[in-house]
Amino acid sequence: METPIVVGCFAGLLITISLLQPLARRLGLAPSVLLAMVGTLIGIGAIFLLNTEYTDAFNTIAIVFVDPPLDAEQILYIFLPILLFQTSLTLDVRRIFEDIGPILLMAVVAVFAATFFIGLALYPLGNVSLVACLLLGAIVATTDPVAVVAIFRDIGAPARLGRIVEGESLLNDAAAIVIFILLLGILTGSQELDLANALMAFFRSFIGGAIVGALVARLFVMLLPVMRDLPLAQVTLSLALPYVIYVVSDQSADVSAVVAVVSAGIVFNLYGPSRIMLEDWNFLHHVWDQIAFWASSLIFVLASILIPRLVEGFQPIDILLLFVVAVAALVSRALVIFGLLPLLSLFRMGESVSMKFKTVMLWGGMRGAVTLTLALSVSEHQGLSPEVAAFVTKLATGFVLFTLLVYGTSLKPLIKLLGLNTLGARDEALRGQFLALALADVRQQVEQTAQDYQIEPRIADPVTETYTERVKTAIETSETFADLKDKERVILGLIALADRERYLVLNHFNEKTVSRRAISLHLAAAGQIADLTRSDGRAGYNKASRQALRFRFSFRLAQWLQRRLKIHRPLAILLADRFEFLLVCRIISNELVTFNHARIRPLVGERVGTILNDTLCARRDDILRAIDALRLQYPDYSDALETQFLRMTGFRLEETAYGMAHSQALIGAELYNDLHGDLMRLRQQTRQRPDLDLGLQTKDLLAKHSLFVDLSPKHLNDIARMMRPTFATPGERLMRKGEKGDLVYFIASGAVEVRTGADTIRLGRGDVVGEMALLTGKRRTADVTALGYCQLLGLSASDFQVLMQKTPELKAHIDRLSRERQSMNAPDSLETGKADDET
C-alpha cells in the first residue's frame, strides 16, 4: 500500500472519530455504539467500492479498509497496553479496594462461569469441539467499560456503580485473555488437555503477571524524581512503561502480559503521586486521557470496519447459535450477580450491593474492542481449521453487535427507570445547603461588580433578584430534607474532611514544603482515614487517625536491628520520618479545623459542626502529645526541622512572586530565569533533611546516669563493653509480669511506669529497673512500660553479676535497695531501684 494513502485514511478516521463525539451526545448514545455502527458502515462501503463494476477510482482507498495494514497481533500490541494502563491510572485504587470482593467475583468467577456456560450450551448445537466452544466463551467473556462508564457519567449514576463496573472490566479482560491463550494452545496442540495443568498454568500466568508488573512499575516510579520539574519527560517514561512490561511479560517472562500491565498501572497509580508534583501528575493524567481516547476510538473503529469480513458466510443456523450465546451469557452473569454476590456480604467479605445495582450490572455486560480484536486474531490464526475459525469469529462478532445495539441503547433508560440517576436524601440536603451558600456569595459579588463598574441599579437589580430567588428555592429544598439525622451529617462532614486532607497533603508536596519521603506516609494515612470513615463513620475516622500515629512494623524491625545487631541507621531514619510526619500532621490538623469552621459548618449546621470540631481538636491533641514526646527527647532536631519548613515555605513564596511578576510582564524572561535558577540552587541546598543522632553511644549514656559519674575512664570502658544501648518508644512494654528476669535496665533518659497491680510508680533518669528478679531469682512481679522516648542501658543477667563483682559501690547500692524492699510489707511488689541521689 502507498504510504500517503494509508496516512490519509488514518487522518480521515481521526476526523470521523472527532465528529462522532458531538453526534453521539446529541443522539443520546454511547460513543462506542456509534463508533461500531459507523465502522461497520465503512467496512461495508469499502467492500462495495472494491467489488463494484461501476468505478475503480476508490479501489486504493477501499483496499486500506478491506485489508488493513495492521493485523490482530499488531493491533493488540499497539493499543491494548495503553488502554489497560490508562484505565488503571484513572481508578481510585483505594476506593476500589472497598469493593474488591464484588470486583474479583465479577472479574474472575464470572469469567469462568461465562466461559463454561457458553461453551457447554453451544457444544450440542455447534459442529465443533468442546474446546472451540469454550474458546468462544472466553472471547465473549471480556466486557467493555468504555461505553458503560460513559453512560454512567452522562446521566450521573452512583460513583460506586461505576467503580465496580470499571474494576470488573479491567480485571476480567486479564482473566479472560489468560483463559483464551490457554484454550488456544490446547486447540492448536501446543498445550496438553489437562484440567489440573491448565488451572496451574492459569494461576501461574495470572500471579506471575501481577508480580512482574508490580516490580517493573516500582522501578519506573523510582525514576520519576530524577525528572522532577520535567513533566514531558515524566509522561514519556510513563508511556514506555506499559509497552516494556507487555513485551517483557509476553516474550520473556512467560506470564500474562495483560495482568502485568494492569498490575503496573495500579502500582504506578498508588505511588506516582508521591514522587512528582501535583500539577505534573495532573498533566500526566490529561495526556493519558487523550492517548486513551485515540487508542480506544481507533481500535473500536478498526475492529468494527472488519465486522463485515468477519461475519461473512453468516447462515440461519448461526442466528440460533447467537441466540444461545446471548442467553447463556446473560444466565451465567445473572447467577453470579444474584446468586454468588450476596454470599460476600453474608460472610462479611464485602459491602452489600443493592438490587438496583445488580440489575444494572447484569444489563451492563457490553462487549467491545477487545472481543472484536480477539475474534480477529482467531480468524488470522494459521493453526486453526477454517471451520473453527469461522465458527468463533462469526458468533463473537455477532454477539458484540448484539450487546451494543440492545444493551447499549437500553442501559440509559434502565438506569433512569430505576432512579439511579437521582440524588439520595443526604446528597439532596447537602446540595441545597451548598447551593444556598454559593449563590449567596455570587449575589454579593454581582452587587459589588455592579458598584465597581457603575452599572445602574435598574440593570443590576433584576440580576441580583434572580440570585435571591434561587437562594430561597435552595433553602426550601434543603429544609425538605431537614429530617436527615445528625449521625449522617457527621459522616458527611468527616468524609469531606478526609477528602480535604488528601488535597492538603498533595498541596504541601506541590509547594515543596513536604519531602518525598514524608508524602508517602501522609498519603497512606489520608487514604486509610477516608476508607474507614466511609465504612465506619466517626468511629472509623478516630480509629484511622490513631492508627496513623502508631509505630509500624518497619519501626519495630528497625528497633530489633538496633537492639540485637547494634545497627542504628534504619531506626534513626524512621524516627526522623516520624518527626517530619508529625510536624506536617500538626499543620494539616490546624488547616482542617479552619476549613471545618469556614466551609463545613455552614453546610451541616452548628451542632454537627461543633461535633466535627471536637473530633478534629481531639485528633490534634493526640498529634501534639506525640510531638511533645519527641521534642522532649530531641529538642535540637525539632528546631532544625521547623527551621527547614519555614525556609522551604519562603522559597515557595519567592517562586510564586517571581512567576507572578513574569506573567504580568514586570520582569523579562532572562531576569526570571536567572532568579529562578538561583532559587532552585538554594532550594536544593536546603532540601536535604538534617540527620538525626539517636544519642545511643554507650559511653555518653553512662555519663548521663548518676550511678556511673564517679567511675574512672578505664572502669567506664569495661562497663560500656557489657552494656547494650536500647531505644524505647512511648507505650512500649519493656518487662512483663510473670516472665523470667534475664535483663536489667539503667535509665539514661526518659521515664518508665512500673505497675504491680496494686501500685504504680514512675521512674526516670538515674533509676534502675528490673534488678530485683535478678537478685532474688524469682519471676518478675510487675509490668514496666515506657512513658515516652527512653534511652536505656540494658545489661544481661550474667553481665549484671560480673558488674556487681567489679563495682563494689554499685553492689552496695543494689544490696541496700534489696534490704529496703525486704523490710517493706510487700517486698516483691516493685521491680525498681533508685540511685543514691534519688532516694
Side-chain angles (χ1 to χ4, degrees), residues 601-653:
R601 188 189 295 262
L603 291 177
V604 298
E606 189 68 26
R607 173 179 169 79
V608 174
T610 302
I611 295 175
L612 296 176
N613 183 73
D614 293 342
T615 303
L616 291 173
C617 289
R619 180 187 175 190
R620 182 174 59 184
D621 291 342
D622 291 340
I623 294 171
L624 291 176
R625 281 192 291 270
I627 291 176
D628 289 341
L630 264 176
R631 192 190 299 274
L632 287 172
Q633 191 67 34
Y634 302 104
D636 294 338
Y637 190 77
S638 175
D639 294 344
L641 277 185
E642 291 184 335
T643 299
Q644 184 188 44
F645 176 82
L646 286 177
R647 285 177 177 169
M648 298 303 290
T649 301
F651 294 150
R652 186 254 303 172
L653 295 174

Side-chain angles (χ1 to χ4, degrees), residues 369-584:
V370 175
T371 305
L372 288 176
T373 308
L374 293 179
L376 177 62
S377 68
V378 168
S379 70
E380 297 175 351
H381 202 289
Q382 300 298 322
L384 295 175
S385 65
E387 293 79 14
V388 171
F391 172 82
V392 173
T393 302
K394 287 188 294 185
L395 291 182
T397 305
F399 186 63
V400 170
L401 289 176
F402 170 81
T403 60
L404 289 174
L405 296 176
V406 176
Y407 297 160
T409 56
S410 59
L411 186 59
K412 184 182 293 188
L414 176 64
I415 293 175
K416 291 182 178 179
L417 179 65
L418 296 174
L420 291 176
N421 61 322
T422 59
L423 296 176
R426 180 190 298 176
D427 292 328
E428 283 285 0
L430 178 64
R431 180 185 184 277
Q433 290 173 304
F434 171 77
L435 192 59
L437 290 171
L439 292 177
D441 291 340
V442 172
R443 180 185 58 190
Q444 183 177 358
Q445 293 174 16
V446 169
E447 290 177 348
Q448 186 62 44
T449 301
Q451 293 176 11
D452 292 342
Y453 291 97
Q454 299 177 352
I455 298 176
E456 295 182 11
R458 65 181 178 83
I459 299 175
D461 289 347
V463 179
T464 55
E465 185 62 29
T466 301
Y467 281 104
T468 302
E469 291 297 326
R470 293 181 64 187
V471 169
K472 181 180 178 181
T473 303
I475 293 174
E476 291 174 352
T477 302
S478 63
E479 289 175 351
T480 304
F481 298 92
D483 57 344
L484 198 65
K485 295 180 180 179
D486 282 352
K487 180 180 179 181
E488 293 181 337
R489 294 179 185 270
V490 168
I491 295 175
L492 195 67
L494 289 175
I495 290 174
L497 289 169
D499 292 338
R500 177 69 178 179
E501 181 167 352
R502 177 176 171 82
Y503 167 80
L504 290 174
V505 167
L506 290 173
N507 191 53
H508 276 288
F509 180 65
N510 184 48
E511 294 177 348
K512 303 179 179 69
T513 51
V514 179
S515 71
R516 180 174 57 82
R517 291 186 60 86
I519 193 67
S520 299
L521 297 174
H522 283 287
L523 286 178
Q528 187 176 35
I529 289 172
D531 293 343
L532 287 182
T533 302
R534 287 181 171 88
S535 60
D536 301 332
R538 188 183 181 189
Y541 185 92
N542 291 330
K543 178 182 178 181
S545 300
R546 289 190 295 268
Q547 285 179 348
L549 301 180
R550 292 176 182 171
F551 296 94
R552 302 179 183 274
F553 172 77
S554 57
F555 196 94
R556 298 304 180 192
L557 178 61
Q559 276 188 290
W560 184 87
L561 292 174
Q562 183 272 319
R563 294 177 182 180
R564 301 297 182 186
L565 305 178
K566 295 185 178 181
I567 300 175
H568 302 307
R569 182 65 178 168
L571 183 59
I573 292 174
L574 291 178
L575 192 62
D577 289 344
R578 178 175 176 81
F579 223 137
E580 184 178 359
F581 173 78
L582 291 173
L583 289 177
V584 178

Side-chain angles (χ1 to χ4, degrees), residues 270-332:
L270 277 174
Y271 298 102
S274 64
R275 296 299 191 272
I276 62 178
M277 308 302 296
L278 177 60
E279 65 265 26
D280 294 345
W281 182 254
N282 292 334
F283 174 75
L284 183 144
H285 261 276
H286 292 324
V287 175
W288 267 102
D289 288 341
Q290 183 64 70
I291 293 173
F293 171 73
W294 287 334
S296 61
S297 301
L298 285 171
I299 192 175
F300 220 107
V301 171
L302 289 173
S304 300
I305 287 173
L306 297 174
I307 286 178
R309 193 186 81 184
L310 296 178
V311 298
E312 185 179 356
F314 206 82
Q315 300 176 0
I317 186 62
D318 295 324
I319 298 177
L320 174 62
L321 296 177
L322 180 60
F323 176 77
V324 172
V325 172
V327 172
L330 194 65
V331 171
S332 67

